[in-house]
Amino acid sequence: MNLLQPDASLRRRQALDRLFVALLVASAASGVVVLLLVLGYVIWRGAPALNPAFFTQRPLPYGEPGGGVAPAILGTLTMLAVASAIGIPIGIGAAVYLSEYGRGSFANVVRFVIDLLAGLPSIVVGVFVWALVVRQLVGNYSGIAGAVALAIIMIPIVTRTVEEILHLVPTTLREASLALGVPRWRTILFVVLPTARAGIITGVVLSLARAGGETAPLLLTALGNQFFSFDLTQPMAALPVQIYNYAVSPYEDWHTKAWGSALVLIGVIGTLSLVTRLAARGRTGR
Amino acid sequence: MVRHSEFTPSGDARSALAEPEPLGVRGHAMRTAQLSAWYGAQQAIDGISLPIAPNRITAIIGPSGCGKSTFIRCLNRMHEVTPGSPRVNGHVYLDEQEIYAPGVDPVRVRRLIGMVFQKPNPFPAMSIADNVVAGWRLVGGYRQKNLDEVVERCLREAALWDEVKDKLHQSGASLSGGQQQRLCIARALAVEPEVLLMDEPCSALDPVATFKIEDLMLRLKERYTIAIVTHNMQQAARISDYTAFLLAGDDRVGRLVEYGPTSEVFTNPRDRRAEDYITGRFG
């Protein structure tokens, strides 16, 4: 008798194996397909709106030909920059606390609250910042209010991703540094954080992408602006708000501009991610 | 814990915790008295009193779980940064100065008493040269001009210079396991410690790399006091001058069972359990 003779059970197992691998490939492919569909459709609808003026001019009233979304591009970049300056240090600081010092009930409370904050609908953040910053602190719709709202959205994303990454830094590296007589704060600053650099960048990029696409909180805080403005105490334009304003209009021309703006937004966030990653790589590559 | 009055240095006894002497003058002695350590509620070692002779290699042997690593980590206050609610009781002296005395900075203790770990742990984000001087760079306040000299001297001391001199700016992670461990030894030597603790430094290495590190230790003991934890009894017999044998009872708490000159411990152990372990009847 041939011991290695294939039998019925082997054939069934092989068939099942192929079936499940096929299912896994299909799942993986569907993610890619959805992304390509979205991207393809936005390009198809938005490309006709793109021309040099679209990137350099301010929006014009309906009926006037031309015009662009330059204030919105600059407003989005400005507010993201201010939001990053507020949110990223706080987010990384909280993550370092949770990962390096966080034991006991206070840390658990912080973790729980950060998770709640991450799950908070962005419109609620918008309402809160409207009540606090727009109504109380500044007195009107303003770029700084929009930046604060975006920072609140960024903090939990940065904190949770960076905390997870810091947990992945081997304990042996911390021990190696401490055993050299290096104080703990220097160990964290010069050993733990640089080792986790790539993961920290990923967290920052994720939070930037998420904040860059937020619309609801900006409608209640930055409001939008048809003119160029870098004054953080005044209403400021933003791409998502611009998309919203164009999309809810009754005009066919503005609908095309909405698609065009969406395409620009994808481009801006994509470029931002790429630049951040390249900048981070440039500093380590030697 | 001792009170301050008990560790006033005598007339000629130099205070290592106050001012480090220049490298290579004379090794410094260590000693533990009734040293116990816990992780949370679980006691790991109990009442260990052990001398560590200057300019000698003291091997700490025993089966897994006998508290060897815990013991050696108590010697430079690394035990207290281990996760899991660590606690220490008893005394550890460096030149008759209590390192657990109130007011003694653990960072200073670790600076004087260096450590090499079981798994080679070079800093992956740093080059080979930066790894060697990591102790200086990370602490800050160094003089830039000396560092290249330190790199070469320490890599030569660790018998690694010839193998890496042409790739000092590559990542330390690109080296083999044995080279990485010698890099870690060079890194530990660079901060000019008085005592070198080694926690199973060869257990992840092949016999050739092990031989190189043993050879290195024999040369280093002319300048340093060395304590080594090892699983490998042949290694203890080959390189150590004194051997301590730890054993955990049914309560999983490690105690000192036998201590003496290595030749005596290995040829004529007084304790029956040490004899059984050394002759290979268990462990």
Side-chain angles (χ1 to χ4, degrees), chain A:
Chain A
M1 192 181 102
N2 184 352
L3 289 172
L4 299 176
Q5 182 71 39
D7 57 9
S9 97
L10 174 71
R11 265 176 234 117
R12 200 181 69 233
R13 233 174 56 218
Q14 284 174 334
L16 269 177
D17 181 56
R18 262 177 246 127
L19 175 68
F20 277 100
V21 171
L23 283 175
L24 295 178
V25 170
S27 309
S30 59
V32 177
V33 167
V34 168
L35 177 70
L36 288 180
L37 278 178
V38 171
L39 207 58
Y41 194 68
V42 172
I43 291 174
W44 177 55
R45 296 295 301 270
L50 298 189
N51 53 52
F54 198 71
F55 291 95
T56 54
Q57 293 183 5
R58 69 178 192 83
L60 295 176
Y62 182 69
E64 290 184 36
V69 293
I73 297 174
L74 295 173
T76 284
L77 290 177
T78 307
M79 282 190 284
L80 277 182
V82 176
S84 301
I86 302 170
I88 291 173
I90 294 179
I92 292 180
V96 167
Y97 171 76
L98 289 177
S99 155
E100 306 297 316
Y101 296 91
R103 304 208 170 79
S105 51
F106 177 66
N108 287 331
V109 169
V110 172
R111 262 186 212 103
F112 181 67
V113 169
I114 296 274
D115 277 347
L116 282 185
L117 199 57
L120 207 60
S122 59
I123 186 83
V124 177
V125 175
V127 170
F128 167 73
V129 174
W130 174 81
L132 184 75
V133 181
V134 174
R135 300 286 295 184
Q136 300 292 327
L137 295 176
V138 179
N140 52 287
Y141 293 104
S142 56
I144 185 70
V148 169
L150 295 185
I152 292 175
I153 287 161
M154 289 171 80
I155 287 170
I157 302 173
V158 174
T159 304
R160 287 324 296 263
T161 44
V162 172
E163 188 199 350
E164 292 304 316
I165 292 300
L166 293 183
H167 280 307
L168 293 181
V169 174
T171 315
T172 55
L173 290 184
R174 295 184 179 87
E175 289 187 339
S177 176
L178 292 173
L180 287 171
V182 178
R184 195 165 177 190
W185 67 273
R186 282 184 165 271
T187 299
I188 292 168
L189 208 55
F190 299 120
V191 174
V192 178
L193 289 178
T195 306
R197 170 180 278 139
I200 293 172
I201 299 297
T202 301
V204 167
V205 166
L206 272 179
S207 72
L208 276 177
R210 168 80 196 281
E214 282 298 340
T215 317
L218 292 183
L219 283 171
L220 292 168
T221 53
L223 189 64
N225 193 335
Q226 302 302 306
F227 298 90
F228 287 98
S229 168
F230 290 101
D231 187 348
L232 282 171
T233 63
Q234 294 301 316
M236 193 174 269
L239 275 168
V241 176
Q242 196 70 48
I243 295 170
Y244 174 79
N245 288 337
Y246 277 143
V248 297
S249 76
Y251 316 118
E252 192 55 39
D253 174 44
W254 279 22
H255 291 168
T256 307
K257 285 198 161 88
W259 286 107
S261 308
L263 190 52
V264 171
L265 180 59
I266 293 175
V268 165
I269 290 174
T271 311
L272 222 50
S273 308
L274 205 65
V275 167
T276 314
R277 279 180 200 282
L278 285 182
R281 187 183 302 167
R283 284 200 53 203
T284 43
R286 53 172 171 169

